[in-house]
Every structure is written in structure tokens, then in C-alpha cells.
Amino acid sequence: MKELLVVKNLKTQFKTEAGLVKAVDGVSFTLNKQEIIGLVGESGCGKSVTCLSIMKLVRPPGEVVDGEVIYQGENLLKYSAKGKEMSSIRGAEIAMIFQEPMTSLNPSLTIGQQLIETMEQHLGLNYKAACKRAADLMEMVGIPKAVERLDDYPHQFSGGMRQRVMIAMALSCNPKVLIADEPTTALDVTTQAQLLELLKDMVEKTGTSLILVTHNMGLVARYAHRVYVMYAGRVIETSTTKEIFANPLHPYTRGLLECIPRLDEEKARELVPIKGLPPNLINMPPTCAFLPRCPYRVESCYREPWAPLRSVDGKYGEHYTRCDVNTLEKVR
């Protein structure tokens, strides 16, 4: 597969009165054409900030301080966030479905106005053509009476319908990369399934590539081709989805999987939560950030710096983990 988006050593920091918050600390990943990858981890691990950094939407006191975001051979980080180059890419080439649609949609404008404005700006459509495409998109994402509802305001839509509008808006300019940041938050299970199936069909039919940001390992198992597990601002394990679920090597990844029930188990088992809390990103330890919560830690973990991602043998694809080799023997 050809790489469409390459993120290299991305670092994003926030200057606060308490100190420097290293929200994203050297994240790297690739996205291939017509592929779905999952960014997985607890709240606060840096998933959303990573995506906002790619889109150049991080606002002060946040700042991208290092790294590269290579899209079709161009480093997006060299462009000004408000410049013409980035404006032509954001929304048109790379689009994002934000976590909370009610705060992402303008409450003072109709849904039609917000959809049409995007297409007039990026596709150069006239008003009549943009109206027709807006209605077609709303029908495609499952909004009934689409032509009539173009004149409605965001508050007249339910949470699930607003999220469908966000998907329609993201798809309006036929983006090559779509970032879905917790797209099913606060939605019922049935609506979650409908929206994810819609995104999956979109990838298959239009060739768009999808970054699925979630803490839900069940969604990742069903929809993602590859997985990047994040913890404390870093990628701590990555491989194909099948490999991660069949052979999780990092203690944190294993902990995430032990928190969820599985249908392929012969008998019911007790779900085991991950004890403790994530580390303070202002005062990060020089050793493994997961050390205080790790049930597999060994003596050498207290002396060694946080291990880099290293390649290990994988049955279902290339497998990389940040865990120390001595601890890996206990995990296996």
C-alpha cells in the first residue's frame, strides 16, 4: 500500500502556570490509501491533540514544537495555520469529524448554510449546485426529508442526527483523509453501529482513508485494519488489528483488552480494571510512564529509561512495542 499520510516524531506542548504539558511527545504513524487505522487509549493520552496538530488547529497556549506531517509529499507543519495553503487542504483534502457536534456546528446558521458554505469555498460550486449536493449528502448519511431539513438549525436535530450532519459536512468535499474523533460519543448503541457502518462504507466506496480515534476497543476490532495504542502522549504499541488482539505485548494494551468482555471466550471471566491513574504530563518520569500501574514490572524497569518502540515477532503482521524485553517475557 502507498502511504498517504505520514506523521513523524510529532510533539505538541501546552505552556501552563503549573509547567510545560507534553501532550504529544514524539508520536509517529502512517496511513495508507483506503485504510482505517485506530488511535486508541484512555482520555488524556494525546489522541485528540494529535489529530488537531495534524489539522493545525492547536491554539495557544498549545504549540506544535517538533515533527513532520507529510501529506502527499508535503510537510503541512511548514504552512501557516491561517494561510492559503493550509486553508485549501483543511476541509477539502483532510477533514475532521469532531467529538461534540453541538459545539462544532454554528448554532446561529442553518444546516444548509453551513454545508453550502463549505462546498462553495472548496469546490467552487454555485448556490443551486451546492444546495443539491448538500441535500444528497444528508440523504446519504440517513437524514430523512433532507431538502426540508436544510433550513433547520442545529438545535432542531438530535445528537445522532447532528453527528450525521458532521459526517456529511466532512464528506462534502470528497476528502482523501478523514479523521473521526470519538464519533460515537454519547450516542446509543444502535446509532453508534449505524454511523460506523456508514464510515466503513464510505471508505470502501470513495477510497477515503480513515483515522478512527476512540477508547472503545470493540469498535477498533470491527473496523480498523491497524492499531496504534497511545499512553501518556506516546505510541506504546502498534500492529495489525488481528495481531494486537491475538497477541498484545505491552502491559497497558493487555490491560485495555482485559477490561472488555469477549464473545470468543468459552466461559465468563471477571473483567479486570487497570489500577491507578495516568501520569502527570507536566512531571513525566524518566522511566516507563506506565510503571506505577504495571502488574508485570520487574526490577530493571525502575532503572531503565522508557524503551523505544522495538520490533518483535508477529504472527499477523509487523509488531512494535515500547515494553522492556525483560517485562515482555512475563507478559508472554
Side-chain angles (χ1 to χ4, degrees):
M1 288 187 178
K2 187 177 180 180
E3 295 173 341
L4 181 62
L5 181 73
V6 181
V7 176
K8 297 181 180 178
N9 196 38
L10 183 65
K11 295 183 180 181
T12 302
Q13 301 175 350
F14 290 81
K15 294 179 181 178
T16 70
E17 292 182 358
L20 194 64
V21 178
K22 298 180 180 179
V24 179
D25 194 17
V27 166
S28 299
F29 65 84
T30 60
L31 176 68
N32 299 315
K33 288 187 176 181
Q34 207 168 2
E35 181 183 39
I36 302 175
I37 64 169
L39 291 185
V40 186
E42 293 171 286
S43 297
C45 72
K47 307 185 301 294
S48 295
V49 177
T50 296
C51 296
L52 291 173
S53 300
I54 292 171
M55 300 286 288
K56 298 217 69 172
L57 291 175
V58 176
R59 296 177 179 177
E63 182 184 9
V64 179
V65 296
D66 197 8
E68 294 179 303
V69 177
I70 308 298
Y71 172 69
Q72 294 190 332
E74 291 291 325
N75 181 13
L76 301 186
L77 297 186
K78 71 181 183 181
Y79 297 140
S80 168
K82 297 181 180 180
K84 182 172 63 176
E85 297 91 346
M86 196 64 209
S87 296
S88 66
I89 293 173
R90 189 191 300 122
E93 298 281 322
I94 304 176
M96 186 167 177
I97 303 169
F98 293 94
Q99 190 169 149
E100 178 43 63
M102 197 56 202
T103 57
S104 302
L105 293 168
N106 189 329
S108 64
L109 297 177
T110 67
I111 294 300
Q113 286 175 308
Q114 296 181 63
L115 279 166
I116 291 165
E117 181 185 21
T118 303
M119 290 182 282
E120 287 179 331
Q121 178 181 347
H122 291 295
L123 299 181
L125 298 180
N126 60 39
Y127 181 79
K128 184 177 180 180
C131 279
K132 183 180 184 308
R133 179 162 171 76
D136 291 343
L137 283 166
M138 287 178 66
E139 286 182 357
M140 186 183 77
V141 298
I143 297 176
K145 300 180 180 179
V147 175
E148 297 175 20
R149 303 225 64 182
L150 285 174
D151 294 326
D152 287 345
Y153 290 85
H155 73 270
Q156 295 174 276
F157 287 73
S158 67
M161 286 299 174
R162 286 196 295 266
Q163 195 65 288
R164 290 171 190 267
V165 170
M166 288 296 298
I167 293 174
M169 194 172 294
L171 297 177
S172 61
C173 297
N174 301 315
K176 293 182 174 64
V177 176
L178 182 61
I179 302 172
D181 186 7
E182 300 280 7
T184 58
T185 298
L187 301 180
D188 62 82
V189 176
T190 302
T191 306
Q192 285 183 22
Q194 290 173 347
L195 289 177
L196 266 299
E197 286 297 324
L198 177 65
L199 291 175
K200 181 185 176 184
D201 290 343
M202 175 269 302
V203 170
E204 294 174 351
K205 292 176 181 178
T206 68
T208 300
S209 300
L210 175 65
I211 300 174
L212 177 61
V213 180
T214 182
H215 59 269
N216 189 327
M217 295 296 284
L219 294 182
V220 169
R222 180 171 177 81
Y223 297 104
H225 302 125
R226 291 187 296 119
V227 184
Y228 291 85
V229 183
M230 291 186 64
Y231 187 77
R234 299 185 183 185
V235 173
I236 53 95
E237 186 165 13
T238 179
S239 187
T240 63
T241 303
K242 189 173 183 179
E243 173 69 14
I244 288 290
F245 277 79
N247 187 32
L249 292 180
H250 197 283
Y252 177 66
T253 308
R254 175 156 292 196
L256 288 178
L257 295 177
E258 288 178 348
C259 290
I260 59 174
R262 295 183 59 157
L263 296 176
D264 58 355
E265 293 176 325
E266 294 183 1
K267 59 180 180 179
R269 63 171 173 83
E270 183 179 352
L271 300 182
V272 182
I274 302 175
K275 296 180 180 180
L277 296 171
N280 185 337
L281 296 180
I282 296 176
N283 299 308
M284 287 288 288
T287 56
C288 172
F290 190 61
L291 180 59
R293 309 172 72 186
C294 182
Y296 301 99
R297 59 184 180 266
V298 295
E299 186 179 343
S300 63
C301 294
Y302 292 90
R303 300 190 303 268
E304 300 296 329
W306 201 354
L309 280 172
R310 65 187 73 192
S311 177
V312 293
D313 293 334
K315 184 177 180 181
Y316 302 108
E318 291 182 302
H319 198 151
Y320 297 88
T321 183
R322 199 179 282 276
C323 190
D324 179 83
V325 66
N326 295 317
T327 308
L328 280 179
E329 293 304 317
K330 294 185 69 176
V331 177
R332 282 174 166 164

